[in-house]
Amino acid sequence: MTMTSLPLPTLAPPSKLTGLPVAIIGAGPVGLAAAAQLLERGIEPIVYEAGPQAGSAISLWGHTRLFSPWEYLIDGAAARLLGDTAWERPSAQGLPLGSELVDDYLVPLAATPALSRRIQYNSSVTAVSRLGMDRTRSNGRSETPFALRIQTDDGPVDRQARAVIDTSGTYSTPNSIVASGLPLLHRGSVQDDIVHALPDVAGADRSRFAGKHTLVVGAGHSAANTLIALARLATEVPGTSVTWAIRNTNPVRVYGSADDELAARASLGSRVYTLVDEGAIALIDGFEIDDVVAASDGWVSVIGRRAGETLTIETDVVVGATGFRPDLEMLREIRLSLDEIVEAPRALAPLIDPNLHSCGTVPAHGVDVLAHPEPNFYIAGMKSYGRAPTFLLATGYEQVRSIADEIAGNREAARTVQLVLPETGVCSTGDTSGSCC
Ligand SMILES: Cc1cc2nc3c(=O)[nH]c(=O)nc-3n(C[C@H](O)[C@H](O)[C@H](O)COP(=O)(O)OP(=O)(O)OC[C@H]3O[C@@H](n4cnc5c(N)ncnc54)[C@H](O)[C@@H]3O)c2cc1C
């Protein structure tokens, strides 16, 4: 009798990635949305959050009202998770404070049974690499787990992941107020006189500004919020005054447009315009700051150039509202493809670079423009915009929906982007061809 041997089933060798979660850096709105989107696709996320609770960065500007109504602030997959709880969806048209975005959405979302056991707080990711492979090693790279170094209350630990989504935002890395982008040369002597963007002028920080002269530096919505609060304080406390310094020769991006489809954003700009027009805010445009030094009687001198001349502004306090930049140091071992100017993913940059396109209306986009040479590594949310200022949460939610589909192998869905964002109605590049917005 002859024996015919049956072919043995071929078993794929177990991948080194099998069983590993997708690591998400940051439990802000976009990080939590990423986790919810992955869970819907049966993929295990783990979220590392530097702060003690979800939305820790937003809590730092919790006194500030958002200009987007709730309808643009809640991710679809997150809402479906919350739908299984006693959560009450806020009214679509309401404009929350930052603190309400945290308390009425992010904290309940992070507390859902599905997410609560997948978030680790007080866990700051300090570095990302591949297991046993620095960025110069190529062989088998895409099959090698990511290694994340995480600073916890008990010291540093290393954790592995099959993919990484960096949604750590930019709030902790503000831009310098110095025109060169460098830190202040004489920082030590004046650091107490220079305040991070968005101080709580009407609340906790009121005494810092009451009866003082403040110089607000910057031309974005953060500057606008602070200017309005300081102008109001000036009507309440004698001796309070406010000067606004911008680098551009025209604050059109702050003033905005009556055609802005986000009414609250338009109103922010028009209030600043009126306050400048009425003389409540002294505007100094075209001012390039070189340094800030301590002056006599507790004043500081802000030294710069305007129209080719040296200009010095004496003030009590400086509010640096010159925007933010991404912290790329922790990604030194990751192969990134970033635009040289805005430090955003290379394909995304032309859509958001304020030199080319400052209107703030950015077409929604997905994984195609967010990919890096490092397989399965993504930067999403505020950080994906690098130094560009116009990020909207709705954009971030669509980014992570697309990334989740890509990780789940739904390539077509990942590339079908349907979100339409509200137009700002303003174009400040001087481009009249209509290509800007
Ligand atoms: C004042 C202000 C008003 C805004 N208003 C609007 C608005 O009306 N509409 C709108 O659409 N957008 C608005 N934005 C823009 C944007 O939507 C928000 O900044 C939003 O918070 C971005 O979400 P994010 O999840 O990308 O980042 P973040 O909210 O910044 O969250 C990042 C999280 O990562 C954590 N983290 C940071 N580093 C690490 C690390 N190394 N390891 C672990 N965790 C880390 C932080 O603690 C934080 O919790 C506003 C922004 C500001 C500053």
Side-chain angles (χ1 to χ4, degrees):
M1 192 169 94
T2 51
M3 297 275 290
T4 50
S5 56
L6 291 170
L8 286 170
T10 48
L11 288 176
S15 159
K16 286 186 279 183
L17 304 178
T18 305
L20 291 177
V22 174
I24 296 167
I25 308 176
V30 182
L32 292 184
Q37 295 283 355
L38 288 168
L39 281 172
E40 276 198 340
R41 290 158 181 79
I43 295 170
E44 192 60 31
I46 176 79
V47 184
Y48 298 109
E49 165 56 48
Q53 65 162 24
S56 289
I58 295 176
S59 297
L60 298 173
W61 50 270
H63 54 279
T64 307
R65 195 167 293 285
L66 282 89
F67 49 75
S68 296
W70 274 110
E71 66 176 308
Y72 294 117
L73 300 175
I74 296 173
D75 172 66
R80 289 187 282 278
L81 269 186
L82 282 161
D84 297 335
T85 71
W87 177 69
E88 277 183 38
R89 192 180 184 115
S91 137
Q93 291 312 312
L95 296 170
L97 292 170
S99 58
E100 291 166 336
L101 182 64
V102 174
D103 295 342
D104 300 346
Y105 171 51
L106 297 176
V107 167
L109 176 60
T112 54
L115 282 186
S116 59
R117 63 195 169 86
R118 296 178 167 103
I119 306 175
Q120 295 186 9
Y121 297 105
N122 301 312
S123 299
S124 180
V125 175
T126 56
V128 186
S129 186
R130 293 273 184 179
L131 194 64
M133 267 192 177
D134 66 18
R135 69 188 287 165
T136 65
R137 302 268 305 282
S138 296
N139 268 355
R141 194 167 179 87
S142 61
E143 280 303 304
T144 301
F146 285 94
L148 292 95
R149 175 128 328 153
I150 300 156
Q151 186 63 38
T152 71
D153 290 342
D154 301 322
V157 294
D158 281 352
R159 294 287 180 264
Q160 295 180 27
R162 61 179 276 201
V164 175
I165 307 175
D166 180 354
T167 50
S168 59
T170 54
Y171 200 72
S172 60
T173 43
N175 284 324
S176 170
I177 62 167
V178 173
S180 66
L182 298 177
L184 289 169
L185 191 58
H186 301 100
R187 186 179 161 74
S189 58
V190 293
Q191 62 187 6
D192 291 344
D193 304 306
I194 301 179
V195 178
H196 191 289
L198 292 162
D200 187 3
V201 173
D205 301 318
R206 185 180 155 103
S207 61
R208 190 94 200 255
F209 301 98
K212 308 263 177 63
H213 175 229
T214 302
L215 177 71
V216 178
V217 184
H221 295 117
S222 297
N225 272 297
T226 303
L227 288 164
I228 292 167
L230 285 168
R232 188 175 305 129
L233 185 66
T235 64
E236 295 165 5
V237 182
T240 306
S241 60
V242 50
T243 301
W244 178 28
I246 61 169
R247 198 156 57 166
N248 290 342
T249 49
N250 185 340
V252 62
R253 195 160 57 77
V254 177
Y255 290 162
S257 157
D259 296 334
D260 192 330
E261 289 175 7
L262 289 175
R265 188 168 57 187
S267 133
L268 203 60
S270 64
R271 278 149 74 200
V272 174
Y273 175 85
T274 305
L275 289 166
V276 171
D277 196 46
E278 290 170 348
I281 296 170
L283 171 65
I284 300 181
D285 57 15
F287 185 46
E288 310 260 5
I289 296 175
D290 292 322
D291 204 3
V292 182
V293 295
S296 55
D297 299 332
W299 288 71
V300 291
S301 298
V302 180
I303 304 161
R305 289 157 289 121
R306 183 167 189 264
E309 305 279 326
T310 299
L311 177 68
T312 300
I313 302 173
E314 305 281 325
T315 190
D316 289 296
V317 194
V318 179
V319 177
T322 46
F324 304 91
R325 56 181 63 179
D327 174 7
L328 299 172
E329 190 52 34
M330 66 176 175
L331 306 179
R332 282 299 297 272
E333 299 307 328
I334 294 297
R335 296 179 178 181
L336 300 177
S337 173
L338 294 175
D339 176 73
E340 296 81 1
I341 300 170
V342 285
E343 297 184 304
R346 198 172 294 280
L348 173 59
L351 306 180
I352 59 175
D353 181 347
N355 294 305
L356 307 172
H357 177 101
S358 53
C359 62
T361 308
V362 174
H365 50 270
V367 73
D368 268 344
V369 302
L370 296 169
H372 291 281
E374 189 74 62
N376 295 316
F377 180 87
Y378 305 94
I379 301 176
M382 185 81 181
K383 187 168 181 174
S384 70
Y385 271 39
R387 296 184 185 215
T390 47
F391 177 77
L392 289 177
L393 274 181
T395 316
Y397 296 154
E398 180 60 5
Q399 290 178 333
V400 294
R401 195 278 310 157
S402 171
I403 292 169
D405 267 325
E406 179 79 353
I407 293 174
N410 308 327
R411 282 184 54 82
E412 197 179 327
R415 282 159 185 77
T416 308
V417 179
Q418 291 171 352
L419 174 73
V420 177
L421 292 165
E423 298 270 345
T424 62
V426 64
C427 175
S428 59
T429 57
D431 180 337
T432 52
S433 69
S435 65
C436 170
C437 304

